[in-house]
Amino acid sequence: MVTVRFLFLVILCQWKSVESLNILGIFVYEGPSHFFVFKQYLEKLAEKGHNLTVISHFPREEVIPNYHDISLAGTIKIPQGAMPMERSFWTIIKITDYILAAGNNDCKVMLENESVQELWKSKRKFDLVIMEHFTSDCGLGLAYKLDAPVVQLKTSDFTPWQYGTFGIPFNPSYAPFIMTSNLKSSVYKRVEKTILHHLLIFKYMNAQKVDQETLGKYFDIPPLEQLSREVKFLLLNHNFVLTGSRLLPSNVIEVGGYHVAPPKPLPADIQKYVEESKNGVIYISFGTLLNEASLPEYKMKAILDALAELPQRVVWKWNGQIFSGDRNKIYAAKWLPQNDLLAHPNVHAFFSHSGHLSAIEAIFHGVPMIAMPVLGDQPAIADCVERSGLGVQIALNELTKDELLNKFRTVLASDFRARVKSLSRAYSARPASAMSSAIFWTEFAAQHNVSARHPAADVPLHQYLCLDVIAVIGTFITICILILWKVLNLLLSFTRKFINLNVKNKRD
Ligand SMILES: *[C@@H]1O[C@H](CO)[C@@H](O)[C@H](O)[C@H]1NC(C)=O
Ligand SMILES: *[C@@H]1O[C@H](CO)[C@@H](O)[C@H](O)[C@H]1NC(C)=O
């Protein structure tokens, strides 16, 4: 009888774990890389039988079961080459202002959409909301209205405003700042990081007020700041082998590399080109925002001259005008299947702007990198590339033919490549694959009503910084010193009086 009941329980539990969930995905930022990074994960959820409704600017071209789009396509112009290229304090502030304004606009665009409004007007029931956390917490308001728990997803590293909501300490002595290089830790750098960190949080709080007002036009919600602390889990595209060890609470789950798709065969012409190269291939891509046409001509010449001296062929993701170089040496195309290329054993090095996703794909497939960071989180990622041993970096302003040739020779050396291969094996060695962890914690958030939030997220600032404790101990020590001082003074004056008395007595 007991075993029957036990079996029944086991079956019930298993049935529970595969129960189909109604999931709403909110991906309202218009940058393509902020959506396509989650493609694998969303497909996996649908494949597992969960019913997905996805709000985004990128409706699917091929239909798959269980996947329903609410399309915002065409409502916002997708940014292209809009970012300033030079690195400075002001660039960081300009980029922040730009993405925060975009976040405010995304909030308006989403709530104006009739299919989105229909979700709360028809009182649709969702078991879970998944959303990107980037520049706006607007989606949390919608999730609150729909009364669903939230799992947030992160494309890149923590932005300054996320440390506090998750209770993670930002100490400039060891915590990386997302938009600067973090290799050197001089006192000047740490002061700069501290100022930027707090300035960006201040800017974010202002942007959050705008979202709060926008949401308030449609329904009543608690402060977004409070909602952001009630998020169940954050899935972070991070793993210590590449981006270093972190102090993370239990509700931040490391799923670094979960966006990497299983490689597909290359298109026939590229495959032929890659495999015919006896000395291997160098793959070059500067992402979508950095344009080859925007590189100064002498920098471009330096790159081409360096490549000409190497025996490897080159495959180049070329954003500029029609490529006019040697076709036998360089294969240039506007679009290339990056992941499939990096997975090909004949690709020996990767020259890149060092985007976070590119670096992950490089370590995943064990291809050494030359990182040439320009903006956003690229300088910080380039540090990780160098520190982990995945590659070397070169600054755009010190790019010369000889310097670049040096870097290429370093990463193409057989011992360097062997080290990167072993690093790659370490990256993938996990008790569960990144994707299965991501799916597991997503389902967990919908099925179990428990909180993994760290208490540090809730304590008031003066307690977080121990100011009250320091004040009490400080006061105690001060009082002790004062008492000691008084006692000493008293003793001293007694002694003086005594001596004076003695002297007087002697004189008399
Ligand atoms: C799945 O989601 C779609 C789109 O939101 C919805 O129309 C449908 O009713 C949902 N199916 C179930 C079984 O909840
Ligand atoms: C989840 O737990 C919290 C606190 O224990 C409770 O206030 C809340 O109502 C619960 N939510 C659901 C959906 O059961």
Side-chain angles (χ1 to χ4, degrees):
M1 193 58 207
V2 174
T3 41
V4 170
R5 209 182 291 166
F6 177 71
L7 268 179
F8 178 67
L9 260 179
V10 168
I11 291 168
L12 193 74
C13 288
Q14 286 189 343
W15 170 76
K16 179 92 180 133
S17 74
V18 293
E19 187 187 11
S20 160
L21 300 168
N22 241 323
I23 301 178
L24 176 67
I26 303 180
F27 302 94
V28 290
Y29 186 71
E30 61 273 24
S33 64
H34 288 260
F35 179 74
F36 289 106
V37 59
F38 306 121
K39 185 166 177 273
Q40 289 290 114
Y41 165 78
L42 294 173
E43 286 173 358
K44 197 81 191 169
L45 285 171
E47 189 189 307
K48 282 210 75 185
H50 301 310
N51 190 34
L52 256 63
T53 306
V54 179
I55 308 173
S56 83
H57 297 273
F58 308 94
R60 284 189 71 89
E61 280 159 14
E62 4 71 268
V63 177
I64 55 168
N66 303 330
Y67 191 112
H68 313 272
D69 277 305
I70 294 183
S71 171
L72 304 175
T75 49
I76 294 177
K77 197 169 163 292
I78 309 295
Q80 237 145 29
M83 301 287 186
M85 291 248 300
E86 80 283 5
R87 259 192 259 168
S88 72
F89 196 89
W90 299 116
T91 317
I92 291 172
I93 291 175
K94 259 199 285 193
I95 292 181
T96 307
D97 285 340
Y98 173 85
I99 57 177
L100 290 177
N104 286 152
N105 190 37
D106 296 337
C107 183
K108 292 196 181 87
V109 166
M110 173 178 79
L111 293 169
E112 276 165 10
N113 184 288
E114 281 175 11
S115 305
V116 174
Q117 293 184 1
E118 198 49 36
L119 294 176
W120 76 78
K121 286 182 182 157
S122 66
K123 299 205 165 57
R124 270 290 300 277
K125 182 79 197 110
F126 287 100
D127 302 300
L128 184 71
V129 169
I130 52 181
M131 53 183 272
E132 191 203 6
H133 178 20
F134 184 41
T135 62
S136 163
D137 271 334
C138 177
L140 293 176
L142 180 55
Y144 176 85
K145 178 71 184 166
L146 297 170
D147 195 21
V150 176
V151 168
Q152 285 187 324
L153 316 166
K154 199 86 191 95
T155 318
S156 53
D157 202 350
F158 282 111
T159 37
W161 46 89
Q162 267 186 321
Y163 283 85
T165 44
F166 285 89
I168 301 167
F170 177 81
N171 180 329
S173 316
Y174 56 76
F177 181 76
I178 183 171
M179 284 197 271
T180 58
S181 163
N182 294 286
L183 273 188
K184 289 193 210 97
S185 190
S186 63
V187 68
Y188 167 76
K189 268 251 75 103
R190 276 176 285 146
V191 169
E192 186 192 57
K193 271 160 76 169
T194 307
I195 293 174
L196 280 171
H197 180 82
H198 291 283
L199 185 65
L200 263 48
I201 292 178
F202 174 74
K203 282 181 172 290
Y204 184 73
M205 300 306 263
N206 283 334
Q208 200 175 48
K209 279 186 206 138
V210 178
D211 284 348
Q212 189 89 39
E213 278 169 24
T214 308
L215 283 155
K217 287 184 197 144
Y218 296 91
F219 39 75
D220 287 333
I221 53 157
L224 284 173
E225 203 193 339
Q226 178 192 329
L227 295 181
S228 69
R229 276 190 251 114
E230 284 166 15
V231 165
K232 293 286 177 190
F233 291 102
L234 177 82
L235 306 184
L236 190 64
N237 203 352
H238 156 93
N239 176 276
F240 72 93
V241 176
L242 176 64
T243 29
S245 186
R246 292 290 176 77
L247 293 175
L248 297 175
S250 312
N251 57 349
V252 176
I253 310 289
E254 299 184 30
V255 292
Y258 76 137
H259 76 280
V260 183
K264 295 185 291 295
L266 291 169
D269 57 332
I270 302 179
Q271 173 139 5
K272 185 158 175 286
Y273 191 84
V274 168
E275 282 173 5
E276 275 175 0
S277 175
K278 288 185 191 61
N279 299 303
V281 164
I282 293 164
Y283 170 54
I284 303 181
S285 165
F286 297 136
T288 46
L289 287 179
L290 174 59
N291 204 325
E292 284 80 14
S294 63
L295 271 178
E297 205 166 311
Y298 68 101
K299 295 277 178 199
M300 196 66 209
K301 186 166 170 351
I303 298 177
L304 289 172
D305 288 351
L307 292 173
E309 295 207 4
L310 292 165
Q312 283 81 8
R313 274 186 166 179
V314 178
V315 175
W316 195 326
K317 181 179 178 294
W318 186 262
N319 299 323
Q321 299 298 316
I322 306 257
F323 180 74
S324 56
D326 177 4
R327 281 261 160 207
N328 211 14
K329 170 79 182 176
I330 299 180
Y331 181 106
K334 222 177 174 67
W335 181 86
L336 286 164
Q338 169 159 312
N339 185 45
D340 307 333
L341 263 168
L342 290 173
H344 196 287
N346 218 20
V347 174
H348 290 183
F350 179 22
F351 182 24
S352 157
H353 66 305
S354 174
H356 191 181
L357 303 179
S358 293
I360 291 177
E361 286 163 20
I363 196 168
F364 192 91
H365 297 298
V367 182
M369 249 176 101
I370 296 180
M372 187 169 74
V374 180
L375 51 88
D377 62 352
Q378 296 159 11
I381 296 298
D383 289 348
C384 297
V385 167
E386 185 175 329
R387 203 177 302 184
S388 66
L390 173 63
V392 295
Q393 50 176 316
I394 186 165
L396 186 56
N397 59 10
E398 59 188 37
L399 176 85
T400 59
K401 176 191 152 197
D402 291 336
E403 194 59 34
L404 185 60
L405 207 51
N406 256 340
K407 304 276 178 186
F408 268 122
R409 295 207 164 114
T410 305
V411 299
L412 286 165
S414 58
D415 56 335
F416 198 100
R417 287 182 51 215
R419 222 172 38 241
V420 171
K421 286 283 178 222
S422 75
L423 206 61
S424 171
R425 285 191 292 275
Y427 187 81
S428 293
R430 318 232 179 125
S433 75
M435 181 60 86
S436 52
S437 302
I439 301 290
F440 177 88
W441 291 105
T442 305
E443 292 173 342
F444 184 103
Q447 287 165 341
H448 305 283
N449 184 21
V450 290
S451 170
R453 175 158 97 225
H454 196 280
D458 297 315
V459 292
L461 188 67
H462 70 277
Q463 285 185 26
Y464 186 85
L465 298 173
C466 283
L467 295 182
D468 46 357
V469 175
I470 293 171
V472 169
I473 294 177
T475 314
F476 179 73
I477 292 175
T478 316
I479 290 172
C480 286
I481 291 174
L482 282 177
I483 290 174
L484 209 66
W485 181 248
K486 269 273 181 263
V487 170
L488 276 178
N489 263 344
L490 272 178
L491 273 179
L492 216 66
S493 61
F494 265 129
T495 331
R496 252 191 231 125
K497 266 188 203 147
F498 185 72
I499 293 172
N500 283 350
L501 214 67
N502 264 0
V503 173
K504 225 178 183 183
N505 280 350
K506 268 192 193 153
R507 255 194 238 145
D508 295 344

